[in-house]
């Protein structure tokens, strides 16, 4: 089901990094594809992380492109600003926008990839015919807002559903999973059709460069080619 069966993208989440030494932590994941930056506003989710000033500095020093995951309310107002900062990919939550298609088009106009995220309780059905409007769909495999949660294997039917719709549309859209991804779970998600993987503690607990290589190898070993 993957649109790209030769490469699986690893996006380490700096939510698990040492915030005091963020520049060096970014350099430790230079062999990853993107750096996943979780923006939480203490409103859409009950946690607070990075805001625009910090993101601007991350953008300035990161050796790899930024994959923004906006866990914020009023995405219609705030999401385009992250594209304007230079982020390569901006993902907003379906639950936080009044018009996901218009927002995705605005992000694309600015020059970033546009992604839409679905919380575990959000049905994918209303978005399946809209997939050509997005460059990526993020299926959350934990409840958004906190790192270190257990992988929700019961989200795999939703991943498969999106993967099948992507194949039906014949589009080059990335399918991302975020939450509880490790060498033990990444294969499950890859077999379901995911091709882009967010991992936090699984990367930063140990040598990040080696962990990224291990995760990529595990994903490739289970890639769904159907």
């Amino acid at each position: 089901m993957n649109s790209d069966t030769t490469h699986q993208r690893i996006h380490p989440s700096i939510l698990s990094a040492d915030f005091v030494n963020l520049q060096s932590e970014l350099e430790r994941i230079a062999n990853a594809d993107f750096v996943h930056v979780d923006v939480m506003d203490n409103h859409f989710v009950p946690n607070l992380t990075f805001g625009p000033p910090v993101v601007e500095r991350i953008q300035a020093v990161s050796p790899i492109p930024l994959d923004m995951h906006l866990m914020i309310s009023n995405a219609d107002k705030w999401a385009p600003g992250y594209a304007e900062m230079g982020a390569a990919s901006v993902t907003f939550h379906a639950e936080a926008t009044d018009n996901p298609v218009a927002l995705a088009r605005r992000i694309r106009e600015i020059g970033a990839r546009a992604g839409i995220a679905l919380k575990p309780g959000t049905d994918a059905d209303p978005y399946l015919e809209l997939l050509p409007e997005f460059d990526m769909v993020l299926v959350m495999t934990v409840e958004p807002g906190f790192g270190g949660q257990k992988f929700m294997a019961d989200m795999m039917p939703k991943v498969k559903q999106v993967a099948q719709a992507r194949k039906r549309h014949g589009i080059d859209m990335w399918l991302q999973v975020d939450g509880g991804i490790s060498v033990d779970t990444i294969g499950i998600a890859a077999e379901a059709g995911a091709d882009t993987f967010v991992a936090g503690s699984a990367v930063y607990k140990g040598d990040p460069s080696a962990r990224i290589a291990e995760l990529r190898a595990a994903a490739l070993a289970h890639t769904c080619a159907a």
Side-chain angles (χ1 to χ4, degrees), residues 3-226:
S3 59
D4 181 352
T5 58
T6 62
H7 183 69
Q8 300 285 56
R9 288 168 288 272
I10 307 299
H11 293 198
S13 169
I14 53 172
L15 202 60
S16 297
D18 177 1
F19 291 171
V20 175
N21 299 292
L22 207 45
Q23 183 169 0
S24 61
E25 292 286 76
L26 289 163
E27 291 167 354
R28 295 172 74 200
I29 59 170
N31 64 321
D33 298 278
F34 283 64
V35 55
H36 190 80
V37 183
D38 292 298
V39 176
M40 306 182 192
D41 64 357
N42 196 30
H43 186 266
F44 182 75
V45 293
N47 207 340
L48 185 66
T49 57
F50 315 103
V54 176
V55 172
E56 283 185 315
R57 289 299 300 142
I58 294 171
Q59 170 67 26
V61 302
S62 178
I64 53 178
L66 270 57
D67 168 27
M68 302 301 306
H69 178 192
L70 306 182
M71 287 171 270
I72 61 175
S73 300
N74 198 1
D76 299 299
K77 177 179 179 180
W78 299 110
Y82 288 93
E84 290 168 352
M85 289 179 204
S89 179
V90 178
T91 297
F92 56 87
H93 268 265
E95 308 86 5
T97 175
D98 293 327
N99 192 331
V101 170
L103 181 53
R105 288 177 179 175
R106 175 62 183 142
I107 291 169
R108 282 174 154 181
E109 285 172 2
I110 296 169
R113 296 176 60 85
I116 188 168
L118 307 176
K119 294 168 69 172
T122 300
D123 193 345
D125 283 336
Y127 307 97
L128 298 180
E129 293 309 311
L130 303 177
L131 292 189
E133 298 285 351
F134 307 107
D135 299 295
M136 183 168 73
V137 172
L138 165 54
V139 175
M140 293 297 299
T141 45
V142 296
E143 290 293 341
F146 297 92
Q149 297 182 66
K150 185 178 179 181
F151 176 76
M152 297 172 67
D154 56 347
M155 291 297 104
M156 293 307 97
K158 186 190 293 187
V159 174
K160 290 179 181 178
Q161 183 183 21
V162 175
Q164 289 165 355
R166 173 179 62 183
K167 183 178 181 180
R168 184 172 69 251
H169 285 292
I171 54 176
D172 181 20
M173 185 205 78
W174 298 358
L175 178 45
Q176 186 177 66
V177 286
D178 179 3
I181 297 298
S182 68
V183 290
D184 297 320
T185 60
I186 195 168
I188 299 170
E191 287 180 352
D195 53 36
T196 307
F197 306 89
V198 178
S201 56
V203 169
Y204 278 104
K205 287 183 179 178
D207 173 22
S209 179
R211 291 297 181 91
I212 290 165
E214 291 170 1
L215 286 165
R216 184 174 284 119
L220 283 167
H222 293 87
T223 297
C224 173

